[in-house]
Amino acid sequence: MNIAATPVVEADQTVYLKDYQKPSFLVESINLDIQVYDDHTNVNSTLVMKRQTTGDLVLLGRDLELKSITLNGQQLSEHEYQLDKEQLVILNAPDAAILNIDVVIHPETNTMLEGLYQAASDLFVTQNEPEGFRKITFYPDRPDVLSVFTTRVEADKKFPVLLANGNLIEAGEVGADRHYTIWQDPTKKPAYLFACVIGDLAVLKDRYTTSEGRDVALEIYAEEKDIPKCHIAMEALKHSMRWDEEHYGRPYDLDNYMIVATSAFNMGAMENKGLNIFNTSCVLADEEFTTDAAIMRVQSVIAHEYFHNWTGNRITCRDWFQLCLKEGLTVFRDQSFSEDLQSAAVQRIDDVAVLKAHQFPEDSGPLSHPPRPDHFVEINNFYTATVYEKGAEINRMMAMLLGKEKFRLGTDEYFKRHDGQAVTVEDWVAALTAGSGVDLSAFLTWYNQPGTPKLEAKGEYDAVAQTYRLSFKQSLKVHAKYPNLKAVPIPVALALFNAETGEQYNLQSVALIENGVKDGMYLFDQDEATIEFTGVTAKPVVSLLRNFSAPVNLDFNYSDEALAFLLQYETNGFNQWQATQTLLERILLDGHNADIYIQAIKNTIPNIVEKDPLLASRLFDVPSEGYLGSRIDIDYSPVKIQEQRNALLDTLARELGSFCKDTYLALDPDLQKEFSQAMGVRALKNIMLSMMARQGDSEAFDLAHVQYSNTGNMSERLGALRVLVWNDAPQAEAVLQDFYRRYKDEALSLDQWFMIQAAHPNATEETIQYLTAHADYDLGTPNRIRSVSGGLNANPVNTWSFGVQHFVDLAKYLDEKNPIMGSRLLQALTRWYTLAEPQRGEVKQALEALQPQVKSKNVVETLNSMLSI
Ligand code: TRP
Ligand code: ZN
């Protein structure tokens, strides 16, 4: 018999929620002394620990050189503790233990961007969520151990900036060349929120007075040349602080709030207490260098990290299974914040688009897991769309069901009960229930089950009786690891429209008392149910899941006419968009005729352009090839999807005719007063421009070239560049060179230059080779990697041909250097099993060939799951 030599993750590496146990020791305080040198860093720590339950004193630590350890003043010898690759166990520890530990670490060679690492020649930063602190020193590195941190940071004076969490209590010199600072954070916190920064950075300063009258110093640290690009982030920070006071009654609690920007960062940003560390891509914003979408993202990430101060930091997670407690709630909060910054309908459209493009596919494939999983091997693999985005949807459903006032009573109760604690999803739902007086416990099922529920609905109109019946049915795909799936509460926001007049029925008068619909909302919480409306005087068109009131797959037998009707008459902008998406999906995947869509869009757009140009632009969204592919579970042919989508775009361009040029020429973003309106006009103009190019209009390239040259705005410049490059216009080479010259020293703008070329529909293996061999390509900067692989992945035809080796090679390389990134990038290939043969077999082979070559828990777990289908 042949026993496969593939490395499987050993069973004992899996952690289970059901095995949770309280920590045996608590840490009352920790004193850290971090001394950074060019070729090593010394970390000395003093932990004051108290026994809480029986059990060993366990400190976690990884890649640390242990120099010395004393317990209550006594040096420990090697037989008094056990040390392995993961932990240090003190044998027979007394109930009160003061430990003093010396270790040496190497941030200067740490490429994983986790723990303390050198992010640039003149910058050291930390990233400790979820389990990075154990790479700095030995510690009970788990979120339910909260402590008071005092931190001394010492380094050469060539690093003038020495930061840590909390208040600066002392600063001074050490000899001629070195200096130090001491910081004290008054709030107890888990180690994952610890941060320090050592570097040479400039700073933008501002102040904010809280509702309680606290005067807070605000500081954003970045490279000198980038300081002018920090103003939008600073405004967003102050706005967020006010917003949390007004909407949740949560003022800020320290005297300073610092943000540090670095390009060496795996994710968007990190909410370390009072000292956020940000990817530059989520801080730097300036119309000249940054696209409108990226500016919106900066504002939402600033808000996100700020909101964590209450939902995540003051109240944290008991264990990492509860990650969506802080992330789901904080994403919901930042989404709500962003709805106030721009067209609320468009914010919802964009959030749902992300959910459907990433979370739905994730949840239908081999990486599917509940928002709160019950086991994992590597927690870093669970910072997923499901935990973040579906987690946010669960909170949105509960908030919507309660309404503003009751939801506020619920969150007030949560903060009152749990401030200063490490809690669970159950605690959150229980507090909401107690505060609001509405039992929400059924929503726990949403947290605990994987998969996107399918919601089947059927409508039946009886013209004689003037009744309209709606019947619902819900179901979930069977999941091997999570049997016993139950029905979930699905809030269905709905409206009825008179198909003849286009008017909306007033549900109060139309709805039957006792049909369960209140304020346009029906809570469907059974396997099946039927409701009936009476007094429906003419045939209705029903609009379901308004504003996407639940994260489900709706199956409703709409006619194309009814969808076109909703596009024109629905008053909810999100559902107008949803109607266009459903209609386009049918045209694309089921071969329906496009005429109805074209007519409806021509009727609708002129009315919307004035009011909400951004919404108008979204109504031209054509589902991406990637999204369309994710809707296909078997015999998926990327090439076929590309052909169908191109054919649709050609039809649209042809049928829209002169509408494109007329609209393009009529619109001027500079005439708009509001940023969000101007952003809409720019978006719409760029779409019109690409349609004109598709029409073969020779003027399109000239207009694009003028737009490229005459603007000082990145969305306009990039929109024009895209049209020229992707259509291989005669001017393409020259503008690419020009763009490079303009932005070669602006890393984030240069990312766009890489991205646009990698995302060329006709990019080839050579294109990718050229980009990855370019002098400005850098495997140490996740943003740069993502610009190429993300660009490549914009075209599934390319992903699934030469892209396969690109992603496999990346995962192999990063497995050792940066396994968090390796695992994430590999996930581009998750849906390999849906491909038609022979591609399916080829990708499978490439993945299997990778298996024996990778070692990190991150990549191994992801790869094993991907292949387990
Ligand atoms: N807590 C961060 C957030 O959502 C997420 C995060 C930032 C993160 N950096 C990370 C998670 C590194 C894992 C690894 O705001
Ligand atoms: Zn977060």
Side-chain angles (χ1 to χ4, degrees):
M1 202 176 89
N2 175 17
I3 295 170
T6 48
V8 285
V9 172
E10 298 135 49
D12 63 7
Q13 296 216 33
T14 305
V15 193
Y16 295 90
L17 170 58
K18 65 173 169 44
D19 293 342
Y20 172 81
Q21 286 192 336
K22 283 187 171 188
S24 49
F25 280 79
L26 295 181
V27 183
E28 290 187 339
S29 68
I30 166 170
N31 269 268
L32 274 170
D33 184 358
I34 299 177
Q35 302 171 3
V36 177
Y37 292 89
D38 285 347
D39 59 355
H40 73 282
T41 290
N42 299 327
V43 180
N44 175 266
S45 61
T46 305
L47 313 180
V48 179
M49 301 186 73
K50 270 247 162 68
R51 182 180 289 284
Q52 189 188 208
T53 65
T54 54
D56 289 329
L57 195 163
V58 180
L59 304 174
L60 302 168
R62 207 174 281 162
D63 304 331
L64 306 169
E65 281 169 38
L66 179 61
K67 293 295 174 189
S68 103
I69 171 165
T70 68
L71 169 62
N72 293 337
Q74 299 289 311
Q75 187 83 31
L76 291 188
S77 57
E78 278 178 28
H79 66 265
E80 290 169 298
Y81 59 84
Q82 283 167 358
L83 177 63
D84 65 25
K85 276 171 65 182
E86 298 284 337
Q87 58 186 30
L88 175 80
V89 181
I90 314 264
L91 307 169
N92 310 315
D95 293 350
I98 300 182
L99 287 166
N100 190 285
I101 303 174
D102 273 314
V103 299
V104 171
I105 54 174
H106 290 279
E108 71 282 358
T109 55
N110 175 355
T111 59
M112 295 190 187
L113 314 185
E114 204 185 33
L116 176 64
Y117 62 95
Q118 184 160 15
S121 60
D122 55 2
L123 183 63
F124 292 75
V125 299
T126 51
Q127 171 54 42
N128 292 328
E129 183 183 1
E131 299 182 336
F133 193 73
R134 64 190 64 184
K135 297 173 132 191
I136 295 176
T137 188
F138 288 101
Y139 195 76
D141 181 15
R142 39 187 290 173
D144 57 353
V145 174
L146 285 74
S147 188
V148 177
F149 282 66
T150 304
T151 310
R152 181 178 180 279
V153 192
E154 182 195 307
D156 192 289
K157 284 182 185 164
K158 69 185 171 189
F159 304 121
V161 174
L162 305 174
L163 309 175
N165 320 77
N167 301 313
L168 178 65
I169 56 172
E170 196 181 314
E173 309 203 330
V174 184
D177 299 334
R178 296 176 65 80
H179 64 157
Y180 72 92
T181 54
I182 301 179
W183 299 77
Q184 196 163 50
D185 187 350
T187 334
K188 278 192 161 198
K189 66 169 177 289
Y192 82 88
L193 292 173
F194 169 80
C196 65
V197 173
I198 297 101
D200 184 5
L201 293 170
V203 58
L204 176 71
K205 296 188 181 191
D206 207 332
R207 304 204 78 87
Y208 176 83
T209 308
T210 70
S211 56
E212 295 175 330
R214 183 190 293 273
D215 178 31
V216 186
L218 311 177
E219 301 182 332
I220 303 183
Y221 290 84
E223 279 181 36
E224 180 89 58
K225 76 168 177 60
D226 289 332
I227 292 295
K229 306 187 193 92
C230 293
H231 294 283
I232 291 177
M234 185 64 90
E235 290 309 306
L237 175 59
K238 290 186 283 182
H239 189 175
S240 307
M241 296 176 99
R242 190 67 69 212
W243 195 91
D244 213 12
E245 291 170 355
E246 286 171 356
H247 292 80
Y248 286 83
R250 298 296 111 198
Y252 187 59
D253 56 351
L254 287 174
D255 296 330
N256 62 355
Y257 194 89
M258 301 175 277
I259 291 175
V260 175
T262 173
S263 57
F265 206 73
N266 278 339
M267 313 273 275
M270 179 63 213
E271 69 264 25
N272 317 304
K273 182 78 189 183
L275 177 52
N276 291 178
I277 297 179
F278 268 64
N279 189 320
T280 42
S281 70
C282 296
V283 190
L284 306 184
D286 182 308
E287 277 196 38
E288 191 187 340
F289 303 99
T290 319
T291 63
D292 293 337
I295 290 175
M296 293 309 294
R297 177 158 163 80
V298 165
Q299 301 182 77
S300 82
V301 177
I302 291 277
H304 180 98
E305 306 311 330
Y306 176 71
F307 295 158
H308 267 316
N309 191 55
W310 278 97
T311 52
N313 301 2
R314 294 286 298 232
I315 305 182
T316 193
C317 300
R318 187 192 73 173
D319 55 74
W320 289 119
F321 295 102
Q322 320 296 328
L323 179 59
C324 76
L325 169 71
K326 77 174 174 80
E327 295 304 345
L329 179 53
T330 305
V331 172
F332 169 62
R333 277 149 55 71
D334 84 56
Q335 290 178 348
S336 313
F337 170 84
S338 295
E339 277 171 21
D340 295 352
L341 295 184
Q342 64 165 354
S343 159
V346 172
Q347 181 64 36
R348 189 62 185 138
I349 288 168
D350 292 353
D351 291 335
V352 173
V354 168
L355 185 80
K356 288 192 173 185
H358 299 289
Q359 199 279 323
F360 279 24
E362 177 173 280
D363 220 352
S364 74
L367 302 183
S368 166
H369 55 274
R372 181 177 59 187
D374 66 9
H375 65 279
F376 60 73
V377 173
E378 170 55 65
I379 182 58
N380 271 302
N381 283 337
F382 284 82
Y383 287 75
T384 59
T386 297
V387 167
Y388 277 66
E389 264 63 55
K390 188 174 179 179
E393 294 298 322
I394 302 173
N395 289 305
R396 179 182 294 270
M397 287 190 283
M398 294 191 290
M400 195 179 44
L401 207 62
L402 292 180
K404 251 199 172 91
E405 267 170 48
K406 285 185 182 158
F407 182 62
R408 175 66 187 268
L409 291 172
T411 58
D412 284 352
E413 182 66 20
Y414 178 63
F415 296 118
K416 191 170 116 203
R417 284 187 182 188
H418 297 301
D419 187 12
Q421 298 177 4
V423 304
T424 63
V425 163
E426 280 79 5
D427 294 325
W428 158 241
V429 176
L432 273 187
T433 295
S436 68
V438 179
D439 183 3
L440 294 168
S441 52
F443 281 86
L444 283 170
T445 311
W446 276 104
Y447 283 101
N448 293 326
Q449 289 185 171
T452 306
K454 179 163 151 193
L455 175 63
E456 288 170 90
K458 284 202 178 69
E460 212 181 307
Y461 178 59
D462 184 333
V464 178
Q466 299 199 333
T467 57
Y468 183 68
R469 303 181 109 218
L470 260 177
S471 49
F472 295 98
K473 199 176 151 185
Q474 63 169 299
S475 55
L476 264 173
K477 209 163 78 179
V478 217
H479 194 291
K481 288 185 183 156
Y482 294 89
N484 312 321
L485 300 174
K486 291 193 294 189
V488 286
I490 300 178
V492 185
L494 53 85
L496 290 183
F497 293 85
N498 184 321
E500 282 158 24
T501 63
E503 277 165 47
Q504 188 177 336
Y505 282 108
N506 179 344
L507 282 187
Q508 253 77 358
S509 60
V510 177
L512 219 210
I513 339 109
E514 284 173 6
N515 70 0
V517 177
K518 197 169 160 270
D519 303 328
M521 165 94 75
Y522 169 59
L523 183 64
F524 171 51
D525 56 4
Q526 257 105 74
D527 292 316
E528 290 184 47
T530 301
I531 55 176
E532 189 175 81
F533 299 89
T534 55
V536 186
T537 48
K539 191 171 184 248
V541 175
V542 65
S543 188
L544 291 166
L545 290 181
R546 292 181 106 195
N547 242 11
F548 209 58
S549 58
V552 299
N553 265 314
L554 175 64
D555 181 345
F556 186 80
N557 187 18
Y558 278 115
S559 64
D560 291 355
E561 288 77 10
L563 290 167
F565 173 94
L566 288 176
L567 166 55
Q568 268 182 266
Y569 296 105
E570 187 25 313
T571 49
N572 180 281
F574 172 83
N575 275 40
Q576 285 182 293
W577 175 82
Q578 185 56 66
T580 64
Q581 297 304 291
T582 311
L583 201 45
L584 288 168
E585 231 179 279
R586 288 178 182 193
I587 300 168
L588 276 156
L589 298 178
D590 308 332
H592 288 211
N593 193 297
D595 296 347
I596 292 180
Y597 168 78
I598 307 266
Q599 200 46 54
I601 203 109
K602 277 188 172 168
N603 293 342
T604 312
I605 290 294
N607 302 322
I608 301 181
V609 170
E610 278 289 304
K611 259 201 334 256
D612 191 345
L614 196 58
L615 176 59
S617 76
R618 292 298 189 277
L619 295 181
F620 284 97
D621 280 350
V622 173
S624 71
E625 289 171 37
Y627 173 70
L628 291 165
S630 80
R631 308 279 291 168
I632 300 172
D633 283 327
I634 189 163
D635 283 340
Y636 161 46
S637 161
V639 172
K640 207 155 96 195
I641 292 287
Q642 186 182 54
E643 283 167 4
Q644 285 167 336
R645 186 168 183 277
N646 278 336
L648 173 70
L649 286 170
D650 289 343
T651 309
L652 293 183
R654 195 176 57 242
E655 299 292 324
L656 286 168
S658 59
F659 176 90
C660 297
K661 191 186 285 181
D662 296 346
T663 307
Y664 181 87
L665 294 175
L667 291 172
D668 183 353
D670 297 337
L671 298 180
Q672 303 294 328
K673 281 194 235 52
E674 302 275 332
F675 172 79
S676 85
Q677 301 280 105
M679 164 167 73
V681 168
R682 286 190 283 269
L684 198 50
K685 284 193 78 169
N686 283 338
I687 294 169
M688 293 303 116
L689 194 57
S690 66
M691 284 288 190
M692 286 163 68
R694 196 169 269 279
Q695 288 168 347
D697 185 340
S698 57
E699 226 191 310
F701 293 158
D702 296 332
L703 286 171
H705 194 252
V706 171
Q707 178 176 319
Y708 176 92
S709 311
N710 289 2
T711 185
N713 176 283
M714 184 52 92
S715 283
E716 290 189 284
R717 180 161 284 142
L718 210 57
L721 181 72
R722 195 179 294 127
V723 165
L724 294 170
V725 172
W726 288 2
N727 290 287
D728 299 315
Q731 303 93 326
E733 209 34 58
V735 285
L736 266 179
Q737 277 175 27
D738 177 81
F739 194 93
Y740 180 81
R741 264 197 310 276
R742 280 175 195 265
Y743 302 114
K744 62 179 183 323
D745 298 322
E746 296 290 337
L748 297 168
S749 308
L750 199 59
D751 285 339
Q752 300 290 343
W753 183 85
F754 277 93
M755 169 91 84
I756 249 180
Q757 296 177 80
H760 192 310
N762 298 330
T764 61
E765 201 170 348
E766 287 70 41
T767 315
I768 302 304
Q769 255 160 27
Y770 159 73
L771 294 173
T772 54
H774 195 280
D776 293 301
Y777 188 72
D778 175 15
L779 281 164
T781 307
N783 291 348
R784 192 54 51 82
I785 303 180
R786 271 189 290 258
S787 68
V788 173
S789 48
L792 163 59
N793 198 26
N795 293 293
V797 170
N798 299 345
T799 302
W800 294 114
S801 50
F802 58 88
V804 173
Q805 204 53 47
H806 170 82
F807 284 105
V808 165
D809 289 346
L810 265 180
K812 191 173 131 189
Y813 174 84
L814 292 169
D815 176 54
E816 215 179 291
K817 299 262 194 253
N818 185 344
I820 293 179
M821 281 299 291
S823 166
R824 294 181 87 82
L825 290 165
L826 185 61
Q827 290 176 28
L829 304 179
T830 302
R831 291 186 67 82
W832 65 271
Y833 63 95
T834 62
L835 291 165
E837 296 292 0
Q839 268 185 309
R840 183 184 192 277
E842 287 161 10
V843 184
K844 187 177 189 204
Q845 239 175 34
L847 292 172
E848 283 170 348
L850 178 63
Q851 260 188 328
Q853 305 184 55
V854 289
K855 287 203 264 319
S856 69
K857 278 208 257 181
N858 310 57
V859 178
V860 171
E861 182 186 31
T862 296
L863 189 53
N864 285 351
S865 301
M866 280 169 66
L867 283 166
S868 72
I869 194 136

